[in-house]
């Protein structure tokens, strides 16, 4: 039987292995997947800039939403977003390294609330995101592995 930390790490590895959007397209790195927590990193590249030459908000949202997904699936129950919101606080620029840390605030039955914080390489807060999750049937990895 795996410890909760080992299970979360295995869940993160399994999800990331097939997460083409994060891994291949956006080049988001999974730094950690722990029980009720996750951390991911993304470097702002030229194709990510909008018409104001700042990182497109949708891509910052995707970093936060992806981190949310890893945090809420870390208990090895297939979990999806039921709703979320984001507040953009500061622009991100070409070359910025954005790190998102997500933490479970509440998990009751099938429903959870998670907070994400996106910072740049200087520790400045770029955005905050709150996600609400719902567990559905199934596990990410087979139970008992």
């Amino acid at each position: 039987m795996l410890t909760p930390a080992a299970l979360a790490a295995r869940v993160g590895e399994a999800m990331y292995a097939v997460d083409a959007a994060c891994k291949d397209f956006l080049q988001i790195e999974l730094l950690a997947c722990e029980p009720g927590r996750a951390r991911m990193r993304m470097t702002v590249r030229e194709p990510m800039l909008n018409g104001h030459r700042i990182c497109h908000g949708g891509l910052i949202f995707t970093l936060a939403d992806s981190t949310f997904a890893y945090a809420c699936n870390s208990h090895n129950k297939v979990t999806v977003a039921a709703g979320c919101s984001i507040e953009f606080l500061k622009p991100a620029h070409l070359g910025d390294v954005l790190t998102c840390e997500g933490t479970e605030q509440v998990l009751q039955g099938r429903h959870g609330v998670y907070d994400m914080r996106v910072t740049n390489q200087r520790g400045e807060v770029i955005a905050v995101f709150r996600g609400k999750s719902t567990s559905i049937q199934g596990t990410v990895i087979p139970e008992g592995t």
Side-chain angles (χ1 to χ4, degrees), residues 23-104:
K23 184 171 47 102
D24 302 324
F25 184 62
L26 292 173
Q27 300 173 16
I28 295 173
E29 301 169 75
L30 175 63
L31 302 176
C33 186
E34 302 165 349
R37 301 177 61 86
R39 194 169 73 246
M40 300 186 90
R41 179 172 54 209
M42 175 180 83
T43 299
V44 178
R45 297 175 288 115
E46 183 74 31
M48 298 173 161
L49 301 180
N50 65 19
H52 298 295
R53 303 291 297 158
I54 58 176
C55 185
H56 193 290
L59 300 175
I60 295 169
F61 177 93
T62 301
L63 172 62
D65 184 50
S66 297
T67 306
F68 166 51
Y70 283 84
C72 67
N73 279 277
S74 65
H75 302 294
N76 198 32
K77 294 184 187 325
V78 175
T79 305
V80 296
C84 59
S85 64
I86 191 165
E87 303 296 327
F88 298 106
L89 304 172
K90 191 173 189 71
H93 299 94
L94 181 64
D96 280 350
V97 179
L98 305 181
T99 301
C100 183
E101 295 206 35
T103 306
E104 184 177 274

